Amino acid sequence: NINGKSAAIMLRLIPYPDDNTESFYRIQTASATLKVMNQEKYSDLKLTASGMPLVNYEKGIFYKEESARIFKFSFIIMLVMLLISLKSFVGILAPVISAICSIIWVFGIQGFLQTKIQSMVVIFPALLILVIVVGYSVHIFSFFNQSFEKKGSRREALEYTLEHASWPVFLTALTTVFGFLSFLMVSISALRWVGVTCAALVAVSYPFIIIVTPALLSFGSDKKPDKKISRYGRKIEYFLLRFGKWVLHHGKMIFFISLLIISAFVYYLPKVEVNCDVEYSEGRRVPYIQRLFKVAEDIGSFYSYDCAILFPKEGMAKSPENLKKLDEIANNLASSRIVKRVRSITDIVKDLNKSLNADKEEFYKIPDDFDTIAQLMLLYEMSGGSEQEDWVDYEYRNLRLKVELKAFNKIEFEKQRNYIKEKIEEYYPGAKIIMTGSVVTFMTMIDYMVSGQLWSIAMALLTIGAIMVMIFGSLKLGFIGMIPNIIPLILVGGTMGALNIPLDFVTVMIAPMILGIAVDDTIHFITHFQSVYTKTGRLMAASLNTFRSVGLAMFLSSLIIVIGFAPFGSSFSNGYVSMSILVTVSIVSALLADYLITPNLIKWIKVI
């Protein structure tokens, strides 16, 4: 660097063999580099390594360890919550068996098919299927306990449970599967893998949970029916009934307050930024990211892009006029506040011209005649100069410009990209331009995520909405079922805008996941309401019965999902922390919408 305190060794790798073993060679490159650096004879040097092979290698190690830690933490918390809420060993065993069997089936098939996965996202399917299966189990246990306490017969209680719980659980599994399949609209392979894997896990888990749970509950003896029911149950049911009455009697006030809250979040929606920058998505608290930026700040730059200018004829790359125009473009780019350094063949030409003219500053420029430039380049090549091939080809038909940035800024880069394209079209008619580099990759990812996010949300809304219309047999009920699940999308987007949480590689998964999971409580509420109303014909009684029968299960299943994702908040990765926050906002808002808005919509629209 400038102060002479740091130096760098640049390793250029040959292309990896085209035999689908790229990851193997990346690992070998990284491990070999670390092996050399950790030798005792280099202990006096403060060696720090960076680069994509090493970053990818250490990224895999970090997220493998981080995912394992978070999953263990979440698993223990959910087991404790199940034990407290259900007070049953079967309540713990059934979802664990179902989740493990589902994971073995799906990941086993993927292993057989040699499906590639990414360590950063592998935790999401594993944790999601656990919390989803736990949620299904809570609803099954809720119906079983209500019936068993009243009837005392396990067989009758199981028949009642399967009659009232199996269909809603199937519907929630179906809508969740389609919610995750909407990930296929995002043109990013890792996110597609998450969507397909989660959808497959949910689909496989349904037969397990609907068979294993009743089978385990069938063990044990009958008991004498409790006519009074336990005091704990009576208190909960009494509270839910009172709460249901309050909700139905204060619908207008609830609607007005909800509208104010939603409007406040809508205000922050336009402030959401799309950013694939690892400094935001992962953060400098992550050890390898911290080291990556330390190396970049001292020597080079993590953010950079290259421009290749392809001329139609040989020799055009050493034309004085063309080089001067390239130098003008480089100088204008260098004046940007986010640019750290701009390099090209013009730097070599100007340095040589100055050196051959007694180091006079006025000669630090591009010579005016073609022959002088040709001689300078030949002299540089004959003297052993090795950098020329980095900036120009042997036929002098192509030029390369490298721009290193201090920080990633989407707006500033778009300005630079547009400027470069305009100038090349103006200065070099007939020439082609190719732009590559980490920043270009980030911008491509951003384009994929924005378009994919919009398409995935639209597809999830249309698919889940159509399913709900079909299963409820009513366009009005289908419409009502979607409203409480659109609200969480708005609140999550508003939260991202208010807290400056970017839409990145991790948070892009939130919206389809919200639609897939949050709709579960809505289906349980409306399905039970529809069943009771069909039998009684009394709207108020059906709504209150629904609060009493499924209200507690809705609360417990939502609480378990929130707690299951809570350990993400302890991670060094910004993306994981954001996931914890946004899942909490989405699940809590979805539950409140189902409690407060759904029953009032049913009452006002008079769906049946």
Side-chain angles (χ1 to χ4, degrees):
N1 62 358
I2 298 176
N3 57 26
K5 293 183 178 180
S6 302
I9 299 175
M10 178 71 73
L11 299 180
R12 292 177 183 166
L13 304 179
I14 60 174
Y16 296 121
D18 188 18
D19 56 0
N20 296 321
T21 55
E22 180 179 340
S23 59
F24 169 78
Y25 291 104
R26 286 183 182 274
I27 292 173
Q28 292 297 309
T29 302
S31 59
T33 302
L34 293 175
K35 184 177 180 180
V36 171
M37 289 174 52
N38 293 331
Q39 291 182 24
E40 182 65 27
K41 58 183 177 181
Y42 300 130
S43 59
D44 293 339
L45 301 175
K46 295 181 180 180
L47 296 178
T48 304
S50 184
M52 292 311 297
L54 193 64
V55 167
N56 289 331
Y57 175 71
E58 292 193 305
K59 178 179 181 179
I61 294 175
F62 172 78
Y63 280 103
K64 181 179 179 180
E65 295 175 351
E66 190 76 345
S67 297
R69 181 186 68 83
I70 291 173
F71 185 83
K72 290 176 184 177
F73 195 11
S74 298
F75 184 74
I76 293 172
I77 291 176
M78 281 189 284
L79 290 184
V80 172
M81 281 298 303
L82 279 173
L83 186 60
I84 293 173
S85 58
L86 301 180
K87 295 182 172 63
S88 168
F89 177 71
V90 175
I92 296 177
L93 192 60
V96 170
I97 291 176
S98 300
I100 291 175
C101 290
S102 301
I103 290 173
I104 291 173
W105 267 72
V106 174
F107 282 87
I109 292 173
Q110 289 189 348
F112 176 76
L113 297 176
Q114 297 183 342
T115 304
K116 292 183 179 181
I117 61 175
Q118 289 198 18
S119 56
M120 186 176 182
V121 295
V122 70
I123 187 176
F124 293 111
L127 183 57
L128 274 170
I129 192 57
L130 182 60
V131 299
I132 288 173
V133 168
V134 166
Y136 294 166
S137 297
V138 168
H139 281 279
I140 293 173
F141 269 85
S142 177
F143 280 105
F144 176 81
N145 289 334
Q146 289 177 27
S147 179
F148 190 52
E149 288 175 348
K150 294 177 181 178
K151 300 178 181 179
S153 169
R154 285 188 175 272
R155 183 181 180 85
E156 291 183 18
L158 285 172
E159 290 175 352
Y160 174 84
T161 299
L162 291 175
E163 178 185 355
H164 289 83
S166 59
W167 178 240
V169 171
F170 170 76
L171 296 179
T172 58
L174 182 64
T175 52
T176 302
V177 166
F178 278 99
F180 284 122
L181 287 179
S182 66
F183 276 63
L184 293 174
M185 305 304 296
V186 183
S187 301
I188 299 175
S189 59
L191 296 184
R192 287 185 170 190
W193 175 84
V194 170
V196 172
T197 303
C198 288
L201 285 169
V202 174
V204 171
S205 70
Y206 174 74
F208 280 116
I209 199 68
I210 212 66
I211 293 172
V212 172
T213 307
L216 292 175
L217 286 172
S218 67
F219 290 97
S221 58
D222 295 340
K223 69 176 184 178
K224 187 176 181 180
D226 188 350
K227 300 297 182 181
K228 296 181 179 179
I229 310 178
S230 66
R231 184 177 180 183
Y232 176 76
R234 188 168 63 247
K235 273 188 175 182
I236 292 294
E237 291 180 5
Y238 177 74
F239 171 77
L240 289 171
L241 283 171
R242 291 289 301 272
F243 177 63
K245 288 180 180 179
W246 182 88
V247 169
L248 292 169
H249 289 144
H250 295 82
K252 292 182 179 179
M253 181 188 72
I254 291 172
F255 178 78
F256 179 73
I257 295 175
S258 299
L259 191 60
L260 290 178
I261 294 173
I262 293 171
S263 299
F265 280 87
V266 168
Y267 170 78
Y268 286 101
L269 272 177
K271 300 181 183 295
V272 178
E273 293 185 359
V274 184
N275 199 334
C276 290
D277 181 4
V278 294
E279 187 173 9
Y280 289 92
S281 63
E282 298 182 56
R284 296 203 182 193
R285 294 190 303 163
V286 177
Y288 76 90
I289 296 294
Q290 188 178 64
R291 188 177 63 257
L292 173 69
F293 280 94
K294 179 66 169 62
V295 173
E297 288 169 356
D298 286 347
I299 304 293
S301 174
F302 178 70
Y303 307 105
S304 64
Y305 61 91
D306 292 84
C307 302
I309 305 172
L310 313 180
F311 292 104
K313 297 180 181 179
E314 294 183 13
M316 294 184 69
K318 56 182 177 181
S319 162
E321 182 182 356
N322 289 338
L323 289 178
K324 286 181 179 180
K325 291 176 179 177
L326 179 66
D327 195 44
E328 177 189 330
I329 293 173
N331 290 333
N332 285 332
L333 291 172
S335 63
S336 172
R337 62 183 178 84
I338 66 168
V339 171
K340 182 176 184 179
R341 182 167 48 237
V342 181
R343 293 187 288 168
S344 71
I345 189 65
T346 60
D347 297 322
I348 296 175
V349 173
K350 290 189 293 184
D351 282 335
L352 284 173
N353 193 39
K354 179 182 176 182
S355 298
L356 294 177
N357 288 276
D359 278 338
K360 294 180 180 179
E361 194 64 35
E362 60 266 26
F363 286 95
Y364 186 72
K365 62 180 182 178
I366 305 294
D368 295 326
D369 61 286
F370 186 94
D371 292 337
T372 302
I373 293 176
Q375 291 173 6
L376 289 175
M377 289 186 174
L378 179 63
L379 178 62
Y380 179 78
E381 188 176 345
M382 292 178 62
S383 63
S386 59
E387 290 189 24
Q388 180 173 319
E389 62 187 42
D390 295 337
W391 309 108
V392 66
D393 66 330
Y394 289 111
E395 297 176 346
Y396 294 101
R397 190 170 183 172
N398 304 324
L399 284 175
R400 173 175 168 244
L401 182 74
K402 185 177 184 63
V403 182
E404 298 178 11
L405 306 179
K406 300 174 184 176
F408 177 74
N409 185 292
K410 178 177 179 292
I411 297 176
E412 285 294 325
F413 172 71
E414 287 179 337
K415 289 180 180 178
Q416 292 181 21
R417 181 172 59 182
N418 293 335
Y419 167 77
I420 291 172
K421 289 181 178 180
E422 290 173 3
K423 286 300 180 183
I424 289 177
E425 289 178 2
E426 178 185 348
Y427 289 162
Y428 311 123
K432 296 181 180 179
I433 178 174
I434 299 175
M435 298 185 70
T436 60
S438 61
V439 177
V440 177
T441 301
F442 287 152
M443 291 297 295
T444 303
M445 293 281 284
I446 287 173
D447 293 338
Y448 282 155
M449 284 198 302
V450 171
S451 61
Q453 178 83 121
L454 294 175
W455 277 107
S456 63
I457 292 175
M459 185 61 66
L461 285 171
L462 289 173
T463 305
I464 294 175
I467 291 174
M468 295 183 76
V469 170
M470 287 188 291
I471 61 180
F472 294 139
S474 168
L475 185 61
K476 290 181 179 179
L477 272 179
F479 172 73
I480 288 173
M482 290 308 297
I483 290 179
N485 299 289
I486 294 175
I487 292 173
L489 290 177
I490 297 174
L491 266 59
V492 165
T495 301
M496 293 175 68
L499 300 181
N500 294 322
I501 297 175
L503 182 66
D504 56 28
F505 189 71
V506 175
T507 56
V508 73
M509 295 187 287
I510 290 290
M513 188 173 70
I514 291 172
L515 289 171
I517 296 178
V519 74
D520 292 1
D521 285 341
T522 306
I523 289 176
H524 281 289
F525 190 96
I526 295 180
T527 302
H528 192 81
F529 166 84
Q530 192 179 36
S531 174
V532 177
Y533 184 81
T534 302
K535 294 177 181 178
T536 64
R538 299 170 59 191
L539 190 145
M540 181 68 75
S543 295
L544 294 178
N545 183 282
T546 302
F547 268 101
R548 182 178 62 82
S549 299
V550 300
L552 179 60
M554 289 167 58
F555 172 78
L556 290 176
S557 60
S558 299
L559 179 63
I560 288 171
I561 293 175
V562 170
I563 290 178
F565 278 89
F568 279 92
S570 66
S571 176
F572 285 130
S573 173
N574 290 345
Y576 278 7
V577 175
S578 298
M579 176 66 76
S580 175
I581 295 171
L582 299 179
V583 166
T584 300
V585 172
S586 64
I587 299 302
V588 170
S589 61
L591 178 65
L592 292 176
D594 284 321
Y595 275 158
L596 304 174
I597 296 176
T598 301
N600 282 304
L601 287 174
I602 292 174
K603 182 180 72 172
W604 293 336
I605 298 178
K606 298 179 181 179
V607 293
I608 298 179

